[in-house]
């Protein structure tokens, strides 16, 4: 198969961390193949929606694989566009799942007007990124407003505001036809400026006005902010990355990095393989059902007398006998 398609073994469904020490930059390249194809095929969203979900997956997988603990990273949007809600869950160390909710009337309108950019489809609302290590004290959430700026710019804002790390992200989603069918692919690259000296960090691309509430960014003499040369170079190189370079199944991530940073020398670390998998199970669904009130549960029983639940992430259907659900409940509680 590899010979037929020219696909490179080990390239797909993996994140490649890298560093460019000369530029004080660290980063990640993600290439999603069979996993994103499975998710988007299963959901069968209209193409413009699939593209946005693919972008969100590429971003969440790049950020999630940076976690150094067993926990979860969640990217969630809630907004007034055609995609009213979207969730990508990344469970460390290597699995992800995604779901979106569509406002059909708004999608029809967006398609008629050809307003199909990520920013247009999300509209206005907010993007939340949550890092959850399993208890309330180790939960961290950063929120950025969505103002039709798309996910790349929203990610830049998130890192400026929440972590004060100058960041550039490029995301791409598309299809490649093999075996008579179009297969979804997604890719992304992220670079972050992490110099040792705080003065250089301040000079990078943090402008007055970007300061988080209660903080003040030390003003530079240049009202536009003086950019650090190394960061300007790294950021400009990443901004030149084209969609096809992130989607090409024959272009290794190492070669993409060489194209970008050959004059500076990029150091690559061990690739992290990822795959799509849901967290749902019969036990979890049963526990959820038992959390509802008896009235709510009765209302959910279908005409055939069964109680059915479909997982919105993976479309798996769970069917229960209502008696089985009630069984685990102690009377009087
Ligand atoms: Zn599921």
């Amino acid at each position: 198969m590899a010979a037929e398609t020219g696909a490179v073994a080990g390239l797909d469904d993996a994140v490649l961390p890298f560093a460019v020490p000369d530029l004080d930059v660290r980063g990640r390249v993600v290439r999603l193949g069979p996993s994103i194809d499975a998710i988007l095929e299963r959901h069968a969203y209209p193409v413009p929606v699939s593209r946005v979900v693919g972008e969100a997956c590429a971003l969440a997988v790049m950020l999630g694989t940076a976690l150094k603990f067993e926990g979860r990273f969640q990217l969630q949007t809630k907004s007034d566009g055609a995609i009213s809600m979207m969730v990508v869950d990344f469970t460390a160390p290597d699995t992800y799942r995604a779901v979106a909710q569509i406002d059909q009337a708004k999608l029809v309108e967006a398609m008629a007007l050809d307003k199909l950019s990520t920013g247009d489809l999300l509209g206005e609302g907010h993007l939340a990124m949550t890092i959850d290590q399993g208890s309330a004290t180790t939960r961290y959430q950063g929120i950025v407003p969505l103002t039709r700026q798309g996910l790349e710019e929203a990610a830049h804002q998130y890192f400026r505001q929440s972590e004060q790390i100058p960041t550039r992200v490029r995301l791409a989603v598309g299809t490649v036809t093999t075996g008579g069918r179009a297969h979804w692919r997604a890719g992304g690259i992220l670079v972050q400026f992490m110099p040792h000296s705080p003065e250089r960090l301040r000079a990078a691309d943090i402008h007055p006005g970007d300061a988080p509430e209660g903080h003040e960014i030390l003003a530079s003499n240049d009202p536009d902010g003086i950019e650090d040369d190394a960061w300007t170079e790294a950021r400009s190189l990443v901004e030149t990355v084209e969609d096809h370079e992130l989607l090409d199944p024959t272009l290794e991530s190492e070669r993409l990095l060489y194209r970008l940073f050959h004059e500076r020398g990029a150091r690559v670390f061990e690739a992290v393989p990822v795959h799509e998998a849901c967290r749902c199970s019969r036990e979890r669904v049963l526990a959820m059902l038992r959390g509802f009130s008896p009235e709510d549960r009765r209302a959910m029983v279908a005409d055939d007398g069964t109680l059915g639940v479909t997982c919105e992430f993976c479309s798996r259907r769970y069917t229960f006998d209502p008696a089985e659900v009630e069984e685990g409940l102690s009377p009087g509680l």
Side-chain angles (χ1 to χ4, degrees):
M1 260 257 300
E4 255 172 53
T5 61
V8 180
L11 168 80
D12 280 345
D13 291 342
V15 175
L16 186 70
F18 67 91
V20 186
D22 265 13
L23 297 176
D24 286 312
V25 153
R26 285 175 166 274
R28 297 176 159 255
V29 181
V30 63
R31 316 295 284 275
L32 300 177
S35 66
I36 195 66
D37 190 44
I39 288 174
L40 296 178
E41 272 295 303
R42 198 187 297 132
H43 282 306
Y45 298 132
V47 168
V49 175
S50 291
R51 285 184 184 279
V52 178
V53 175
E55 279 188 15
C57 287
L59 178 60
V61 169
M62 279 197 289
L63 301 180
T65 49
L67 304 180
K68 291 194 175 54
F69 51 82
E70 295 294 310
R72 281 170 76 193
F73 172 85
Q74 187 180 71
L75 180 160
Q76 180 166 17
T77 64
K78 271 207 173 84
S79 51
D80 66 1
I83 301 173
S84 53
M85 195 274 303
M86 177 166 64
V87 176
V88 185
D89 268 336
F90 182 90
T91 305
D94 58 5
T95 58
Y96 74 103
R97 62 178 191 173
V99 66
Q101 270 173 14
I102 301 170
D103 182 319
Q104 287 295 345
K106 285 181 180 170
L107 182 62
V108 168
E109 192 188 336
M111 290 176 93
L113 297 169
D114 202 26
K115 291 217 166 245
L116 299 172
S117 72
T118 301
D120 286 331
L121 290 175
L122 291 172
E124 297 185 10
H126 68 262
L127 165 76
M129 310 245 217
T130 309
I131 296 167
D132 191 345
Q133 298 187 71
S135 72
T137 52
T138 53
R139 195 165 170 275
Y140 169 81
Q141 189 175 63
I143 295 178
V144 286
L146 287 173
T147 54
R148 299 183 180 272
Q149 78 274 52
L151 290 175
E152 291 175 353
E153 184 52 32
H156 302 160
Q157 283 168 299
Y158 170 80
F159 280 103
R160 265 201 306 260
Q161 291 167 15
S162 299
E163 312 203 12
Q164 282 150 48
I165 302 172
T167 302
R168 277 298 177 281
V169 175
R170 278 281 295 115
L171 303 167
V173 179
T175 55
V176 170
T177 301
T178 48
R181 176 170 93 70
H183 294 269
W184 284 102
R185 300 185 59 80
I189 182 168
L190 168 148
V191 285
Q192 298 194 305
F193 185 49
M194 304 183 100
H196 293 296
S197 95
E199 289 73 30
R200 288 184 63 204
L201 186 60
R202 228 174 274 136
D205 72 346
I206 296 173
H207 304 289
D210 290 337
E213 243 176 279
H215 290 71
E216 196 181 322
I217 288 171
L218 297 180
S220 67
N221 295 328
D222 180 347
D224 295 328
I226 303 163
E227 283 222 328
D228 185 279
D229 286 345
W231 174 238
T232 306
E233 182 179 332
R235 160 175 91 59
S236 308
L237 286 170
V238 165
E239 283 165 1
T240 67
V241 175
E242 298 194 29
D243 285 9
H244 68 85
E245 294 178 291
L246 293 170
L247 300 175
D248 183 350
T250 67
L251 177 67
E252 293 109 316
S253 299
E254 285 89 343
R255 262 178 60 214
L256 172 62
L257 291 173
Y258 180 78
R259 273 187 195 175
L260 290 173
F261 297 112
H262 60 94
E263 286 177 12
R264 297 294 188 171
R267 201 194 299 161
V268 300
F269 304 101
E270 203 177 334
V272 183
V274 294
H275 63 272
E276 63 95 15
C278 198
R279 292 159 38 84
C280 70
S281 67
R282 203 171 164 80
E283 291 67 38
R284 278 173 195 265
V285 175
L286 197 55
M288 178 201 72
L289 287 173
R290 286 172 176 159
F292 290 136
S293 70
E295 296 74 39
D296 285 347
R297 276 199 298 278
R298 266 195 296 279
M300 291 168 77
V301 176
D303 291 342
D304 67 359
T306 65
L307 211 164
V309 175
T310 302
C311 174
E312 57 179 0
F313 281 93
C314 69
S315 307
R316 210 173 138 188
R317 177 104 184 136
Y318 295 92
T319 312
F320 300 90
D321 180 331
E324 183 190 351
V325 181
E326 306 300 328
E327 233 167 58
L329 297 167
S330 326
L333 274 180

